[in-house]
């Protein structure tokens, strides 16, 4: 039997193949590979979808974070707050730009940065914070923006995993994640909720000045062609990738619904297994389930991971190592850090296959095997 994959991009492609193939072929004929019209069309479509003023395309989500920090005119040694439990890229850009990453623990419940623990980490050198909306569910943005305003910090949202997720504040007003902080960043890596067929990324902002700077930074700091006001980089979204993205964007809400329906089936099947904690749904964010992530108690996570692999089921540990424990960060940290929730989550999290193409037989097979592992009898 073939291994059940984490994401099913093959069946997703088959459903849109005629239009993708035709548009890609016509791009090959036109040869407008760089800054072709699809790039602009996609950015406009995405700005409309997110109800944000400016969408700046770039080469990938990691570049988006780097460009966001570059736009802030920070000085070496300035401090940037970020969560200790995320993909490496969330903190990598900080160190790359000779800034200091200051790690804050995440909530054991919803995996996102502990807002109540941010303030004690703020110093006179703190200039910005990167908040990550992990696994498809967002942070408490009112609390974050209030903290930022009080301490004059710029807020960068790493929305690589939560594109399409909606935040609802206490007044009942709703906004898309990625459009609430000063700059939002996302990734179109193939397995993301809106993925292309290679690398891609984008930034979001409602600030026209920032948008102009970000656009320029992503294009060698040019103000007009061959006139460079800033040291930037070369970070563009290919026309071929924009074709994929503009075709898939109208389907994003359906993709999210499919992910939510898979999550619902897992939740119902697994909620009574004592050693498992199903994903928590907070009150202010919708959940777009980039990942369906369980907490496996009693130290059995690695054994379950192995058991599933042996039975042809993919599962993944996002993330096994706290960011402050990554080898690469050692030279940047003065003292040993150990944040309790992060430490525990690194031992307990396990993500199951989730994507836009649910297969009921696969789902049944997966939950049966998880229950079998814990020796819980069905029915
Ligand atoms: C995927 C991801 C990124 C990086 O995106 P790339 O396009 O792969 O560079 C950054 N942050 C988070 C949280 C991610 O999941």
């Amino acid at each position: 039997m073939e291994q059940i994959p984490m994401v099913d991009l093959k069946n997703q492609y088959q459903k849109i193949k005629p239009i993708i193939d035709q548009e890609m072929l016509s791009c090959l004929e036109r040869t407008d590979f760089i800054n072709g019209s699809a790039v602009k069309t996609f950015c406009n479509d995405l700005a409309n979808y997110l109800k944000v003023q400016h969408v700046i395309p770039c080469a990938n989500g990691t570049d988006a974070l780097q460009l966001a920090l570059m736009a802030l005119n920070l000085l070496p040694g300035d401090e940037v707050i970020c969560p200790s439990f995320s993909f490496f890229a969330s903190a990598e850009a900080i160190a790359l730009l000779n800034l200091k990453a200051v790690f804050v623990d995440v909530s054991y419940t919803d995996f996102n940065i502990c807002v109540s623990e941010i303030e004690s980490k703020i110093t006179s050198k703190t200039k910005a914070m990167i908040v990550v909306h992990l696994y498809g569910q967002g942070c408490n943005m009112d609390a974050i923006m209030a903290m930022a305003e009080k301490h004059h910090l710029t807020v960068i949202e790493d929305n690589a995993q939560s594109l399409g997720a909606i935040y609802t504040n206490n007044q009942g007003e709703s906004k898309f994640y990625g459009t609430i902080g000063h700059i939002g960043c996302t990734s179109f890596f193939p397995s993301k909720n809106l993925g292309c067929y290679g690398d891609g990324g984008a930034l979001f902002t409602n600030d026209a000045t920032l948008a102009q700077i970000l656009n320029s930074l992503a294009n060698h700091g040019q103000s007009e062609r061959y006139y460079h006001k800033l040291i930037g980089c070369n970070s563009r979204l290919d026309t071929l990738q924009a074709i994929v993205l503009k075709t898939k964007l109208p389907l994003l809400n359906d993709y999210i619904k499919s992910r939510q329906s898979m999550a619902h089936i897992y939740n119902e099947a697994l909620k009574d297994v004592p050693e498992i904690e199903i994903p928590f749904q907070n009150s202010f964010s919708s959940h777009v389930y980039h990942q369906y992530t369980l907490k496996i108690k009693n130290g059995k996570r690695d054994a379950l991971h192995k058991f599933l692999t042996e039975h042809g089921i993919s599962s993944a540990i996002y993330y096994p190592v706290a960011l402050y424990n990554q080898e690469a960060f050692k030279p940047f940290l003065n003292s040993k850090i150990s944040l309790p929730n992060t430490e525990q989550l690194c031992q307990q999290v396990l993500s199951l296959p989730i994507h836009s193409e649910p297969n009921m037989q696969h789902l049944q097979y997966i939950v049966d095997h998880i229950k079998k592992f814990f020796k819980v009898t069905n029915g």
Side-chain angles (χ1 to χ4, degrees):
M1 196 189 78
E2 232 182 285
Q3 178 100 358
I4 298 177
M6 290 298 286
V7 289
D8 181 357
L9 297 177
K10 288 184 189 164
N11 280 311
Q12 192 193 62
Y13 167 57
Q14 287 307 318
K15 292 181 182 164
I16 52 176
K17 179 174 161 57
I19 177 149
I20 294 272
D21 290 7
Q22 183 206 320
E23 295 233 2
M24 283 220 167
L25 281 172
S26 73
C27 177
L28 298 185
E29 301 285 352
R30 283 196 311 274
T31 71
D32 59 345
F33 304 120
I34 303 291
N35 289 335
S37 64
V39 177
K40 192 155 219 152
T41 308
F42 168 64
C43 289
N44 283 335
D45 292 353
L46 187 57
N48 287 334
Y49 174 89
L50 293 173
K51 301 182 180 71
V52 70
Q53 296 286 318
H54 306 277
V55 170
I56 299 98
C58 67
N60 55 69
T62 307
D63 277 9
L65 291 163
Q66 185 186 323
L67 289 161
L69 287 170
M70 285 169 75
L72 306 184
N73 277 320
L74 304 181
L75 297 171
D78 279 351
E79 294 174 8
V80 180
I81 304 264
C82 76
S84 46
F85 185 70
S86 180
F87 179 54
F88 189 64
S90 304
E92 185 178 27
I94 301 173
L96 190 69
L97 296 173
N98 290 314
L99 303 167
K100 184 169 188 262
V102 176
F103 295 108
V104 171
D105 205 2
V106 295
S107 153
Y108 183 71
T109 314
D110 75 359
F111 309 108
N112 284 328
I113 193 164
C114 277
V115 183
S116 60
E117 297 195 9
I118 293 176
E119 198 154 33
S120 67
K121 305 280 176 92
I122 294 175
T123 73
S124 59
K125 288 195 155 183
T126 312
K127 298 291 155 58
M129 54 177 146
I130 294 178
V131 297
V132 183
H133 308 307
L134 205 68
Y135 301 152
Q137 183 170 241
C139 302
N140 185 345
M141 290 309 291
D142 274 6
I144 286 166
M145 296 314 288
M147 180 82 63
E149 202 167 321
K150 183 171 165 198
H151 296 279
H152 310 288
L153 308 180
T154 304
V155 175
I156 297 168
E157 291 177 77
D158 179 345
N159 203 30
Q161 300 192 2
S162 298
L163 194 69
I166 294 170
Y167 172 66
T168 304
N169 71 11
N170 288 334
Q171 275 72 53
E173 297 154 349
S174 294
K175 279 184 183 167
F176 280 99
Y177 278 101
T179 70
I180 304 161
H182 302 92
I183 305 175
C185 297
T186 205
S187 161
F188 305 121
F189 186 84
S191 62
K192 299 281 153 94
N193 285 22
L194 180 64
C196 56
Y197 297 164
D199 280 307
L203 299 114
F204 317 124
T205 185
N206 286 308
D207 180 324
T209 312
L210 269 179
Q212 204 189 353
I213 294 168
L214 290 168
N215 247 316
S216 167
L217 285 171
N219 291 281
H220 300 291
Q222 288 176 107
S223 47
E224 54 187 297
R225 205 158 190 203
Y226 304 126
Y227 291 82
H228 304 261
K229 282 195 182 160
L230 302 165
I231 301 294
C233 48
N234 175 10
S235 185
R236 288 182 291 242
L237 181 69
D238 292 349
T239 307
L240 286 168
Q241 302 307 340
I243 286 171
V244 176
L245 292 166
K246 115 185 140 79
T247 308
K248 286 173 73 170
L249 179 60
L251 301 167
L252 177 59
N253 286 347
D254 290 338
Y255 291 164
I256 290 171
K257 278 192 201 123
S258 294
R259 286 173 177 271
Q260 289 167 338
S261 75
M262 282 183 82
H264 182 73
I265 292 167
Y266 280 136
N267 280 343
E268 288 305 306
L270 300 174
K271 64 178 191 231
D272 296 327
V273 181
E275 286 128 317
I276 289 180
E277 202 175 302
I278 60 170
F280 176 79
Q281 169 75 65
N282 69 32
S283 59
F284 43 80
S285 171
S286 65
H287 202 321
V288 297
Y289 289 101
H290 173 61
Q291 297 299 344
Y292 181 85
T293 304
L294 299 170
K295 282 175 242 169
I296 311 297
K297 308 293 186 87
N298 306 345
K300 290 184 185 164
R301 192 266 315 267
D302 291 343
L304 174 60
H305 184 45
K306 185 160 171 273
F307 178 84
L308 294 176
T309 308
E310 284 164 2
H311 290 84
I313 301 164
S314 303
S315 61
I317 298 165
Y318 305 121
Y319 300 91
V321 180
L323 287 174
Y324 52 76
N325 278 335
Q326 290 289 355
E327 186 97 27
F329 269 109
K330 284 210 179 119
F332 296 94
L333 302 168
N334 310 328
S335 53
K336 176 111 186 85
I337 302 175
S338 179
L339 300 171
N341 296 337
T342 296
E343 295 289 326
Q344 225 180 343
L345 291 172
C346 289
Q347 301 300 317
Q348 293 186 349
V349 289
L350 188 69
S351 300
L352 300 180
I354 197 159
H355 47 74
S356 61
E357 315 298 318
N359 173 322
M360 292 308 147
Q361 270 135 24
H362 284 177
L363 273 165
Q364 194 61 50
Y365 182 84
I366 295 167
V367 299
D368 285 351
H369 279 80
I370 293 172
K371 288 184 175 176
K372 198 168 158 193
F373 175 80
F374 288 111
K375 296 188 178 58
V376 174
T377 45
N378 284 322

